Amino acid sequence: NAADKTLELLNNAKAKVEDSTAIDAAIAKINEAKAKVDALTAESTKEEIKTAAQELRTAVKEGSRALKEATHKQVQSKLGGVIKKSKQLTERLEKQIQKLTEQGKDTSAIDLTALKAKLAEAEQINTQVQELFKQAKAAEEKTKDELMKQATDKLREANKAIKEAHVMLKEILQQ
């Protein structure tokens, strides 16, 4: 059922995420709601069944949200690492170009301007994603979902910019 699937996904995500407090809370809430459902008997009233089912649905929904948030944070963190490494690689490349120029080699065909601009764009988008995460953390349920959707779109945008920068870097290295 949905609760078991959500628990499985949460446990998998917990192993991959640094800060798993929200995931732990979601797991506990789902387990608690499942226990209430399991404790129902044939003598349980319609109202008790309805309440237990609603609690389980709510717990699963919150678990899904915690999973999305953890996944977004993990992707955003990795993206930040990729941006940092790309910038370091660009700096190393600039130093190599400078050395070649000092040795009298023609480096006029190598232009890192577009690459730097694309990396700056990815970094700017990544900053926007971080801000959206902060806003979503403090927001109410419906607003939180909308902010997380915006963050997802921004993550995709930043990922696209990084991929474009990677292609540019490959082209520069082939020159």
Side-chain angles (χ1 to χ4, degrees):
N1 65 26
D4 292 331
K5 184 66 178 170
T6 303
L7 279 173
E8 181 184 332
L9 292 171
L10 287 168
N11 282 318
N12 289 341
K14 183 179 174 182
K16 298 175 184 175
V17 177
E18 293 174 21
D19 180 20
S20 64
T21 52
I23 292 176
D24 291 335
I27 290 171
K29 198 165 188 176
I30 291 173
N31 284 330
E32 184 181 312
K34 277 182 67 175
K36 286 182 182 178
V37 170
D38 292 341
L40 294 173
T41 63
E43 292 82 38
S44 298
T45 65
K46 186 176 180 178
E47 190 60 36
E48 289 173 329
I49 294 170
K50 190 176 178 181
T51 303
Q54 182 59 40
E55 284 182 29
L56 185 58
R57 275 193 298 274
T58 302
V60 168
K61 194 175 196 179
E62 289 175 8
S64 294
R65 184 173 287 117
L67 182 62
K68 284 180 184 176
E69 287 179 20
T71 303
H72 280 82
K73 285 181 184 176
Q74 183 181 12
V75 168
Q76 191 271 327
S77 176
K78 285 184 178 182
L79 184 66
V82 169
I83 291 170
K84 183 179 178 183
K85 284 184 178 181
S86 296
K87 288 180 92 176
Q88 290 171 344
L89 186 59
T90 303
E91 289 172 10
R92 283 182 31 211
L93 191 57
E94 283 180 318
K95 289 178 184 174
Q96 284 298 111
I97 291 170
Q98 187 177 6
K99 282 183 183 177
L100 289 172
T101 303
E102 289 171 0
Q103 293 173 359
K105 307 265 179 162
D106 180 26
T107 58
S108 60
I110 302 173
D111 186 17
L112 300 179
T113 309
L115 176 63
K116 287 181 184 180
K118 199 50 83 171
L119 289 174
E121 176 187 341
E123 191 171 29
Q124 179 185 10
I125 294 169
N126 193 39
T127 303
Q128 292 172 359
V129 169
Q130 289 173 334
E131 187 56 39
L132 286 169
F133 281 142
K134 286 178 188 173
Q135 291 174 12
K137 200 170 196 171
E140 292 183 20
E141 192 171 314
K142 287 186 179 182
T143 309
K144 181 179 275 195
D145 288 342
E146 181 58 35
L147 289 170
M148 291 302 288
K149 187 174 182 335
Q150 289 175 18
T152 301
D153 293 341
K154 290 286 183 186
L155 278 172
R156 286 189 182 117
E157 207 177 304
N159 191 28
K160 182 180 174 190
I162 285 292
K163 284 182 178 180
E164 290 171 3
H166 182 72
V167 169
M168 289 177 187
L169 186 59
K170 279 184 173 179
E171 289 171 358
I172 290 170
L173 292 176
Q174 287 175 353
Q175 291 180 353

